[in-house]
Amino acid sequence: MAENTSPIKDEEMYEALRDEGNSKQKSARIANAAARDSRSEVGERGGESGSYEDWTVQQLTQRAREIGLTGYSELKKGELIKALRNS
């Protein structure tokens, strides 16, 4: 039987978070914290982040720069949001 080598500890939560539009990194961080502690504890200490749709293009490009994305300067706002969420 093959051993699970996925770094994601709670795949169900990870997929639900991705479906909501969260980035891969954020989804993995939340899912792994939930698996380590408990879903209710993670929910209690977690905050609410604004939606990328509420950000300006300047804020989005700054975030892309911070996380090391490339090729973002020519993207439209919707494309930039998608790139950030898929990073």
Short mmCIF file of all heavy atoms in Angstrom, two decimals, residues 33-76:
data_model
loop_
_atom_site.label_atom_id
_atom_site.label_comp_id
_atom_site.label_asym_id
_atom_site.label_seq_id
_atom_site.Cartn_x
_atom_site.Cartn_y
_atom_site.Cartn_z
N ALA A 33 -3.15 23.35 9.77
CA ALA A 33 -3.38 23.80 11.15
C ALA A 33 -4.62 23.12 11.72
O ALA A 33 -4.63 22.72 12.89
CB ALA A 33 -3.54 25.32 11.18
N ALA A 34 -5.66 22.96 10.90
CA ALA A 34 -6.88 22.30 11.35
C ALA A 34 -6.62 20.84 11.68
O ALA A 34 -7.16 20.31 12.66
CB ALA A 34 -7.96 22.42 10.29
N ALA A 35 -5.78 20.19 10.90
CA ALA A 35 -5.45 18.78 11.16
C ALA A 35 -4.61 18.65 12.42
O ALA A 35 -4.75 17.70 13.18
CB ALA A 35 -4.71 18.18 9.96
N ARG A 36 -3.74 19.63 12.65
CA ARG A 36 -2.85 19.60 13.82
C ARG A 36 -3.62 19.88 15.10
O ARG A 36 -3.44 19.21 16.11
CB ARG A 36 -1.73 20.62 13.64
CG ARG A 36 -0.73 20.62 14.77
CD ARG A 36 0.29 21.74 14.67
NE ARG A 36 -0.39 23.04 14.74
CZ ARG A 36 -0.35 23.97 13.79
NH1 ARG A 36 0.33 23.77 12.68
NH2 ARG A 36 -0.99 25.11 13.93
N ASP A 37 -4.45 20.90 15.09
CA ASP A 37 -5.18 21.30 16.29
C ASP A 37 -6.60 20.75 16.20
O ASP A 37 -6.83 19.60 16.49
CB ASP A 37 -5.19 22.82 16.43
CG ASP A 37 -3.77 23.41 16.52
OD1 ASP A 37 -2.88 22.71 17.03
OD2 ASP A 37 -3.57 24.54 16.08
N SER A 38 -7.51 21.58 15.84
CA SER A 38 -8.87 21.16 15.54
C SER A 38 -9.49 22.26 14.68
O SER A 38 -9.05 23.40 14.72
CB SER A 38 -9.70 20.95 16.80
OG SER A 38 -10.05 22.19 17.39
N ARG A 39 -10.48 21.89 13.91
CA ARG A 39 -11.10 22.89 13.03
C ARG A 39 -11.69 24.05 13.83
O ARG A 39 -11.60 25.19 13.42
CB ARG A 39 -12.17 22.24 12.17
CG ARG A 39 -11.59 21.36 11.09
CD ARG A 39 -12.65 20.78 10.21
NE ARG A 39 -12.04 19.95 9.17
CZ ARG A 39 -12.69 19.51 8.13
NH1 ARG A 39 -13.96 19.80 7.97
NH2 ARG A 39 -12.08 18.76 7.24
N SER A 40 -12.28 23.75 14.98
CA SER A 40 -12.90 24.84 15.75
C SER A 40 -11.85 25.78 16.33
O SER A 40 -12.05 26.99 16.35
CB SER A 40 -13.78 24.28 16.88
OG SER A 40 -13.01 23.52 17.78
N GLU A 41 -10.70 25.25 16.77
CA GLU A 41 -9.64 26.11 17.29
C GLU A 41 -9.07 27.01 16.20
O GLU A 41 -8.82 28.19 16.42
CB GLU A 41 -8.49 25.28 17.88
CG GLU A 41 -8.77 24.75 19.26
CD GLU A 41 -7.56 24.03 19.83
OE1 GLU A 41 -6.43 24.53 19.65
OE2 GLU A 41 -7.75 22.98 20.43
N VAL A 42 -8.87 26.46 15.02
CA VAL A 42 -8.33 27.24 13.91
C VAL A 42 -9.31 28.33 13.53
O VAL A 42 -8.93 29.48 13.30
CB VAL A 42 -8.01 26.33 12.70
CG1 VAL A 42 -7.67 27.16 11.48
CG2 VAL A 42 -6.86 25.41 13.05
N GLY A 43 -10.59 28.01 13.50
CA GLY A 43 -11.61 28.99 13.16
C GLY A 43 -11.69 30.12 14.16
O GLY A 43 -11.92 31.27 13.81
N GLU A 44 -11.48 29.81 15.43
CA GLU A 44 -11.56 30.83 16.46
C GLU A 44 -10.40 31.81 16.37
O GLU A 44 -10.57 32.99 16.60
CB GLU A 44 -11.56 30.18 17.85
CG GLU A 44 -12.86 29.49 18.17
CD GLU A 44 -12.82 28.74 19.48
OE1 GLU A 44 -11.85 28.91 20.25
OE2 GLU A 44 -13.75 27.96 19.73
N ARG A 45 -9.22 31.33 16.04
CA ARG A 45 -8.07 32.24 16.03
C ARG A 45 -7.84 32.90 14.68
O ARG A 45 -7.11 33.85 14.57
CB ARG A 45 -6.80 31.53 16.51
CG ARG A 45 -6.16 30.60 15.54
CD ARG A 45 -4.83 30.09 16.09
NE ARG A 45 -4.38 29.05 15.20
CZ ARG A 45 -4.33 27.78 15.49
NH1 ARG A 45 -4.65 27.36 16.68
NH2 ARG A 45 -3.94 26.91 14.59
N GLY A 46 -8.50 32.41 13.64
CA GLY A 46 -8.33 32.98 12.31
C GLY A 46 -9.08 34.29 12.15
O GLY A 46 -10.10 34.52 12.77
N GLY A 47 -8.54 35.14 11.31
CA GLY A 47 -9.18 36.42 11.03
C GLY A 47 -9.87 36.39 9.68
O GLY A 47 -9.90 35.37 9.01
N GLU A 48 -10.39 37.50 9.29
CA GLU A 48 -11.05 37.62 8.00
C GLU A 48 -10.22 38.55 7.12
O GLU A 48 -9.91 39.67 7.51
CB GLU A 48 -12.46 38.20 8.18
CG GLU A 48 -13.26 38.29 6.92
CD GLU A 48 -13.70 36.96 6.36
OE1 GLU A 48 -13.79 35.99 7.12
OE2 GLU A 48 -13.94 36.89 5.15
N SER A 49 -9.86 38.07 5.98
CA SER A 49 -9.08 38.86 5.04
C SER A 49 -10.01 39.40 3.97
O SER A 49 -10.96 38.73 3.57
CB SER A 49 -8.01 37.98 4.40
OG SER A 49 -7.32 38.68 3.41
N GLY A 50 -9.73 40.60 3.51
CA GLY A 50 -10.53 41.17 2.45
C GLY A 50 -10.37 40.40 1.14
O GLY A 50 -9.35 39.76 0.91
N SER A 51 -11.36 40.48 0.31
CA SER A 51 -11.33 39.79 -0.97
C SER A 51 -10.41 40.53 -1.93
O SER A 51 -10.35 41.76 -1.93
CB SER A 51 -12.74 39.74 -1.53
OG SER A 51 -12.74 39.24 -2.84
N TYR A 52 -9.71 39.79 -2.78
CA TYR A 52 -8.85 40.41 -3.78
C TYR A 52 -9.65 41.37 -4.68
O TYR A 52 -9.12 42.34 -5.18
CB TYR A 52 -8.17 39.36 -4.66
CG TYR A 52 -6.95 38.72 -4.06
CD1 TYR A 52 -6.66 37.38 -4.30
CD2 TYR A 52 -6.05 39.43 -3.28
CE1 TYR A 52 -5.53 36.78 -3.78
CE2 TYR A 52 -4.91 38.84 -2.75
CZ TYR A 52 -4.66 37.50 -3.01
OH TYR A 52 -3.53 36.92 -2.50
N GLU A 53 -10.93 41.08 -4.87
CA GLU A 53 -11.75 41.94 -5.71
C GLU A 53 -11.84 43.36 -5.14
O GLU A 53 -12.06 44.32 -5.86
CB GLU A 53 -13.15 41.36 -5.89
CG GLU A 53 -13.23 40.23 -6.90
CD GLU A 53 -12.79 38.88 -6.35
OE1 GLU A 53 -12.52 38.76 -5.13
OE2 GLU A 53 -12.68 37.95 -7.16
N ASP A 54 -11.66 43.49 -3.83
CA ASP A 54 -11.71 44.81 -3.18
C ASP A 54 -10.38 45.56 -3.25
O ASP A 54 -10.33 46.73 -2.89
CB ASP A 54 -12.12 44.66 -1.71
CG ASP A 54 -13.51 44.06 -1.55
OD1 ASP A 54 -14.34 44.23 -2.47
OD2 ASP A 54 -13.77 43.43 -0.51
N TRP A 55 -9.33 44.89 -3.68
CA TRP A 55 -8.00 45.49 -3.75
C TRP A 55 -7.87 46.31 -5.03
O TRP A 55 -8.50 46.01 -6.04
CB TRP A 55 -6.93 44.42 -3.74
CG TRP A 55 -6.76 43.67 -2.46
CD1 TRP A 55 -7.70 43.43 -1.50
CD2 TRP A 55 -5.58 43.01 -2.01
NE1 TRP A 55 -7.18 42.67 -0.49
CE2 TRP A 55 -5.87 42.40 -0.79
CE3 TRP A 55 -4.31 42.87 -2.55
CZ2 TRP A 55 -4.93 41.67 -0.08
CZ3 TRP A 55 -3.38 42.15 -1.83
CH2 TRP A 55 -3.67 41.57 -0.61
N THR A 56 -7.00 47.30 -4.99
CA THR A 56 -6.68 48.05 -6.21
C THR A 56 -5.67 47.25 -7.02
O THR A 56 -5.00 46.35 -6.49
CB THR A 56 -6.07 49.42 -5.87
OG1 THR A 56 -4.79 49.22 -5.23
CG2 THR A 56 -6.98 50.25 -4.98
N VAL A 57 -5.53 47.59 -8.30
CA VAL A 57 -4.54 46.92 -9.14
C VAL A 57 -3.14 47.14 -8.56
O VAL A 57 -2.31 46.22 -8.56
CB VAL A 57 -4.63 47.42 -10.60
CG1 VAL A 57 -3.49 46.86 -11.44
CG2 VAL A 57 -5.97 47.03 -11.21
N GLN A 58 -2.88 48.33 -8.04
CA GLN A 58 -1.57 48.61 -7.43
C GLN A 58 -1.31 47.69 -6.24
O GLN A 58 -0.21 47.15 -6.09
CB GLN A 58 -1.51 50.07 -6.99
CG GLN A 58 -0.16 50.47 -6.43
CD GLN A 58 -0.11 51.94 -6.04
OE1 GLN A 58 -1.12 52.63 -6.05
NE2 GLN A 58 1.07 52.40 -5.70
N GLN A 59 -2.32 47.46 -5.40
CA GLN A 59 -2.16 46.55 -4.26
C GLN A 59 -1.93 45.12 -4.74
O GLN A 59 -1.12 44.38 -4.17
CB GLN A 59 -3.40 46.61 -3.37
CG GLN A 59 -3.56 47.90 -2.62
CD GLN A 59 -4.91 48.01 -1.94
OE1 GLN A 59 -5.94 47.66 -2.52
NE2 GLN A 59 -4.90 48.52 -0.71
N LEU A 60 -2.65 44.72 -5.78
CA LEU A 60 -2.50 43.37 -6.31
C LEU A 60 -1.11 43.16 -6.90
O LEU A 60 -0.50 42.10 -6.68
CB LEU A 60 -3.57 43.10 -7.37
CG LEU A 60 -5.01 43.03 -6.85
CD1 LEU A 60 -5.99 43.07 -8.02
CD2 LEU A 60 -5.24 41.80 -6.00
N THR A 61 -0.60 44.13 -7.65
CA THR A 61 0.74 43.98 -8.23
C THR A 61 1.81 43.97 -7.15
O THR A 61 2.79 43.24 -7.24
CB THR A 61 1.03 45.07 -9.27
OG1 THR A 61 0.85 46.35 -8.69
CG2 THR A 61 0.15 44.92 -10.49
N GLN A 62 1.59 44.75 -6.08
CA GLN A 62 2.53 44.73 -4.95
C GLN A 62 2.55 43.35 -4.31
O GLN A 62 3.60 42.80 -4.00
CB GLN A 62 2.15 45.80 -3.92
CG GLN A 62 3.01 45.77 -2.67
CD GLN A 62 4.48 46.05 -2.92
OE1 GLN A 62 4.82 46.81 -3.81
NE2 GLN A 62 5.35 45.42 -2.16
N ARG A 63 1.38 42.76 -4.13
CA ARG A 63 1.29 41.42 -3.53
C ARG A 63 1.96 40.40 -4.45
O ARG A 63 2.67 39.51 -3.97
CB ARG A 63 -0.17 41.05 -3.29
CG ARG A 63 -0.35 39.69 -2.68
CD ARG A 63 0.25 39.62 -1.28
NE ARG A 63 0.07 38.28 -0.76
CZ ARG A 63 0.97 37.66 -0.02
NH1 ARG A 63 2.08 38.27 0.35
NH2 ARG A 63 0.75 36.44 0.40
N ALA A 64 1.75 40.51 -5.75
CA ALA A 64 2.38 39.60 -6.71
C ALA A 64 3.90 39.69 -6.60
O ALA A 64 4.60 38.68 -6.61
CB ALA A 64 1.91 39.91 -8.12
N ARG A 65 4.39 40.90 -6.49
CA ARG A 65 5.83 41.13 -6.34
C ARG A 65 6.34 40.48 -5.04
O ARG A 65 7.37 39.82 -5.02
CB ARG A 65 6.11 42.64 -6.33
CG ARG A 65 7.56 43.02 -6.41
CD ARG A 65 7.77 44.54 -6.50
NE ARG A 65 7.01 45.15 -7.58
CZ ARG A 65 6.03 46.05 -7.40
NH1 ARG A 65 5.70 46.46 -6.20
NH2 ARG A 65 5.40 46.55 -8.44
N GLU A 66 5.59 40.66 -3.95
CA GLU A 66 5.98 40.11 -2.64
C GLU A 66 6.12 38.60 -2.66
O GLU A 66 7.01 38.05 -2.00
CB GLU A 66 4.95 40.51 -1.57
CG GLU A 66 4.96 41.96 -1.19
CD GLU A 66 3.79 42.33 -0.30
OE1 GLU A 66 2.94 41.46 0.00
OE2 GLU A 66 3.71 43.50 0.09
N ILE A 67 5.23 37.93 -3.37
CA ILE A 67 5.27 36.47 -3.35
C ILE A 67 6.07 35.87 -4.51
O ILE A 67 6.14 34.67 -4.67
CB ILE A 67 3.86 35.85 -3.30
CG1 ILE A 67 3.04 36.18 -4.53
CG2 ILE A 67 3.14 36.27 -2.03
CD1 ILE A 67 1.71 35.47 -4.59
N GLY A 68 6.67 36.76 -5.32
CA GLY A 68 7.58 36.28 -6.35
C GLY A 68 6.95 35.87 -7.67
O GLY A 68 7.56 35.15 -8.45
N LEU A 69 5.73 36.32 -7.94
CA LEU A 69 5.12 36.03 -9.23
C LEU A 69 5.85 36.81 -10.32
O LEU A 69 6.39 37.88 -10.07
CB LEU A 69 3.65 36.43 -9.25
CG LEU A 69 2.68 35.58 -8.46
CD1 LEU A 69 1.26 36.12 -8.63
CD2 LEU A 69 2.72 34.13 -8.91
N THR A 70 5.86 36.26 -11.52
CA THR A 70 6.45 36.96 -12.66
C THR A 70 5.41 37.11 -13.75
O THR A 70 4.43 36.36 -13.79
CB THR A 70 7.66 36.19 -13.21
OG1 THR A 70 7.24 34.89 -13.61
CG2 THR A 70 8.77 36.07 -12.18
N GLY A 71 5.62 38.08 -14.62
CA GLY A 71 4.72 38.29 -15.74
C GLY A 71 3.40 38.93 -15.37
O GLY A 71 2.45 38.90 -16.15
N TYR A 72 3.31 39.53 -14.20
CA TYR A 72 2.05 40.09 -13.75
C TYR A 72 1.79 41.51 -14.25
O TYR A 72 0.67 41.99 -14.23
CB TYR A 72 1.96 40.09 -12.22
CG TYR A 72 3.09 40.84 -11.55
CD1 TYR A 72 3.04 42.22 -11.40
CD2 TYR A 72 4.20 40.16 -11.08
CE1 TYR A 72 4.09 42.91 -10.81
CE2 TYR A 72 5.25 40.84 -10.48
CZ TYR A 72 5.18 42.21 -10.34
OH TYR A 72 6.21 42.89 -9.75
N SER A 73 2.81 42.18 -14.75
CA SER A 73 2.67 43.60 -15.12
C SER A 73 1.71 43.81 -16.29
O SER A 73 1.11 44.87 -16.41
CB SER A 73 4.02 44.22 -15.43
OG SER A 73 4.62 43.58 -16.53
N GLU A 74 1.53 42.82 -17.15
CA GLU A 74 0.65 42.96 -18.30
C GLU A 74 -0.75 42.40 -18.05
O GLU A 74 -1.60 42.48 -18.93
CB GLU A 74 1.27 42.25 -19.52
CG GLU A 74 2.62 42.81 -19.93
CD GLU A 74 2.54 44.27 -20.38
OE1 GLU A 74 1.57 44.63 -21.06
OE2 GLU A 74 3.44 45.04 -20.01
N LEU A 75 -0.99 41.85 -16.87
CA LEU A 75 -2.27 41.21 -16.60
C LEU A 75 -3.34 42.23 -16.23
O LEU A 75 -3.07 43.25 -15.60
CB LEU A 75 -2.14 40.21 -15.45
CG LEU A 75 -1.20 39.03 -15.66
CD1 LEU A 75 -1.14 38.16 -14.41
CD2 LEU A 75 -1.61 38.21 -16.86
N LYS A 76 -4.57 41.94 -16.62
CA LYS A 76 -5.72 42.73 -16.21
C LYS A 76 -6.06 42.31 -14.78
O LYS A 76 -5.60 41.29 -14.29
CB LYS A 76 -6.90 42.48 -17.13
CG LYS A 76 -6.66 42.99 -18.53
CD LYS A 76 -7.85 42.74 -19.41
CE LYS A 76 -7.54 43.26 -20.81
NZ LYS A 76 -8.61 42.98 -21.74
#
